[in-house]
């Protein structure tokens, strides 16, 4: 697979020259300064592409071309937004940037409650704590009807937590769940926004009455409108699975399992309608057997995120080492190297380690932690390629 790296544009303090030194071949990025829903012009695309190429790299993948909320909930202006989406896609295709990742998660992209969970060895990982998340839902959002989504024991644990949690911890929880993990991935709330909880509640209200069936219909509508353009310009669209892969906050989530993936692939059965195989997201659902999913969907996979998790029996999960956990990355590399060795692959999230802790990175996107994981995966890839070559002789 092609070794790619998520780079946040010219303002990223991890420079393209640094990436050259650590063996990165392709860049995964977006026009982060263009507001969601606006057209990506050919000029802006080519400017960034030329910049990347002037450093001896190529722009391999767009992550993400964001899908506006209104397209997801089916608002009045969705056709207008879809037209802009098609123009952006066409402009990317004309520029030769042909792999485009997006997601169809309502309101909130990926979710973590703790951005610095200390491991025994002194490094830090991202973490999802179900009770803290339930606390956010029940006690901070005070979402109507939320109680029915939690068991009695979970509700009891939330009550206990309420006795000890400090105001600072509550603020941190809000920041982690809806601010720090969202803004930099072109999510709905950015650092500095006033009263994020109120913004968030307003967004949630847009989805009243939208169940799983309706969200699927809206995704199908989206795919029907954009896949013909993707076909015309040779662009491979690939949806990112929901992270974590289950319904949250009363919102449906529709890219969580083999059944969901089958559904959207056949909703518009085109090779240009594909999957971003995010092993980390998929592995956080105990219902998913990640290597089996890879076998089954490799042919419609256009982009691979390598990351792993360990899930506790109570549903908490931690981002694991890239050599361990439910992601089974060694098996995945075997599948993808065999099926499609040209697939772009990026290390998804790394730990915070060594000098990372003294620097400011977006959550999950450390330099040393990701570089370390890239070296591990590079070793796996070299071994697997060697195995494949020997088998062919
Ligand atoms: C988090 C990322 C996601 C992903 C989007 C794709 O680290 O994996 O934010 O980029 O969901 O649209």
């Amino acid at each position: 697979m092609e070794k790619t790296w998520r780079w946040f544009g010219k303002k990223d303090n991890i420079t393209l020259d640094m990436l050259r030194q650590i063996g990165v071949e392709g860049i995964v990025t977006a026009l982060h300064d263009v507001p969601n829903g606006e057209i990506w012009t050919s000029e802006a695309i080519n400017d960034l592409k030329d910049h990347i190429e002037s450093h001896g790299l190529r722009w391999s993948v767009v992550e993400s071309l964001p899908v506006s909320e209104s397209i997801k909930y089916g608002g009045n202006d969705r056709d207008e937004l879809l037209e802009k989406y098609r123009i952006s896609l066409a402009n990317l295709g004309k520029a030769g940037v042909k792999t485009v990742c997006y997601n169809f998660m309502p309101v909130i992209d990926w979710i973590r409650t703790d951005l610095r969970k200390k491991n025994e060895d002194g490094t830090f990982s991202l973490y999802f704590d179900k009770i803290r998340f339930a606390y956010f839902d029940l006690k901070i959002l005070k979402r109507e009807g939320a109680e029915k989504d939690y068991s009695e024991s979970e509700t009891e644990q939330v009550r206990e937590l309420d006795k000890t949690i400090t105001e600072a911890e509550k603020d941190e929880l809000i920041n982690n769940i809806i601010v720090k993990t969202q803004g930099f991935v072109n999510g709905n709330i950015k650092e500095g926004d006033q009263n994020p909880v109120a913004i968030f509640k307003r967004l949630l209200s847009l989805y009243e009455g939208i169940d799983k069936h309706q969200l699927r219909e809206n995704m199908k509508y989206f795919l029907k409108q954009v896949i013909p353009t993707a076909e015309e310009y040779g662009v491979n669209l690939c949806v990112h699975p929901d992270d974590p892969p289950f319904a949250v906050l009363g919102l449906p989530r529709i890219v969580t399992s083999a059944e969901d993936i089958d559904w959207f692939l056949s909703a518009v059965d085109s090779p240009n309608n594909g999957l971003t195989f995010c092993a980390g997201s998929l592995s956080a659902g105990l219902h998913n057997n990640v290597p089996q999913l890879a076998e089954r969907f490799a042919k419609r996979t256009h982009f691979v995120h390598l990351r792993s998790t360990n899930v506790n029996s109570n549903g908490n999960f931690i981002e694991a080492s890239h050599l361990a956990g439910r992601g089974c990355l060694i098996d995945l590399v075997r599948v993808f190297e065999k099926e499609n060795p040209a697939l772009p692959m990026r290390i998804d999230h790394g730990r915070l380690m060594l000098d990372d802790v003294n620097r400011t990175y977006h959550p999950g996107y450390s330099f040393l932690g990701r570089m370390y994981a890239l070296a591990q995966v590079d070793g796996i890839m070299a071994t697997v390629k060697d195995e494949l070559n020997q088998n062919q002789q």
Side-chain angles (χ1 to χ4, degrees), residues 26 359 383:
R359 299 184 182 259
T383 309

Side-chain angles (χ1 to χ4, degrees), residues 154-172:
E154 285 166 347
T155 314
E156 177 54 30
Q157 291 177 69
V158 168
R159 259 185 252 127
E160 282 303 309
L161 177 60
D162 198 33
K163 292 181 190 156
T164 56
I165 192 167
T166 64
E167 289 306 310
E169 281 176 322
K170 287 186 203 171
D171 285 344
E172 197 189 349

Side-chain angles (χ1 to χ4, degrees), residues 6 63-64 101-103 105 109-110 185 240 305 346 348-349 365:
R6 190 172 198 180
E63 181 173 354
S64 300
C101 166
Y102 68 98
N103 73 72
M105 290 177 254
D109 193 312
W110 62 310
V185 291
H240 188 283
H305 282 184
R346 76 168 173 85
D348 189 23
H349 306 172
Y365 292 90

Side-chain angles (χ1 to χ4, degrees), residues 110-129:
W110 62 310
I111 305 175
R112 299 292 182 275
T113 55
D114 192 337
L115 308 181
R116 274 191 178 217
K117 180 86 174 166
K118 199 165 188 176
N119 296 302
E120 273 180 5
D121 60 7
T123 59
F124 298 89
S125 289
L126 302 174
Y127 187 64
F128 177 86
D129 182 301

Side-chain angles (χ1 to χ4, degrees), residues 257-266 274-277 282 288-303 335-336 339 343:
S257 61
E259 194 243 327
D260 282 347
I261 298 170
D262 261 335
W263 177 84
F264 85 80
L265 290 178
S266 52
L275 176 69
T276 294
F277 196 98
L282 293 166
N288 286 326
N289 176 318
V290 184
Q292 274 176 17
L293 291 176
E295 291 275 1
R296 181 152 163 195
F297 298 113
K299 292 218 157 49
R300 293 283 285 271
T301 294
H302 298 315
F303 180 30
V335 173
F336 292 121
E339 283 291 341
L343 269 178

Side-chain angles (χ1 to χ4, degrees), residues 96-154:
V97 184
K98 304 254 183 182
T99 305
V100 176
C101 166
Y102 68 98
N103 73 72
F104 219 81
M105 290 177 254
V107 183
I108 184 163
D109 193 312
W110 62 310
I111 305 175
R112 299 292 182 275
T113 55
D114 192 337
L115 308 181
R116 274 191 178 217
K117 180 86 174 166
K118 199 165 188 176
N119 296 302
E120 273 180 5
D121 60 7
T123 59
F124 298 89
S125 289
L126 302 174
Y127 187 64
F128 177 86
D129 182 301
K130 199 152 177 222
I131 299 306
R132 284 190 179 258
F133 187 67
Y135 187 91
F136 169 75
D137 193 3
L138 294 164
K139 300 287 184 191
I140 296 176
L141 289 181
K142 300 188 172 70
R143 184 172 60 85
E144 218 184 296
E147 301 74 24
K148 69 171 172 14
D149 291 350
Y150 302 100
S151 68
E152 226 166 81
S153 138
E154 285 166 347

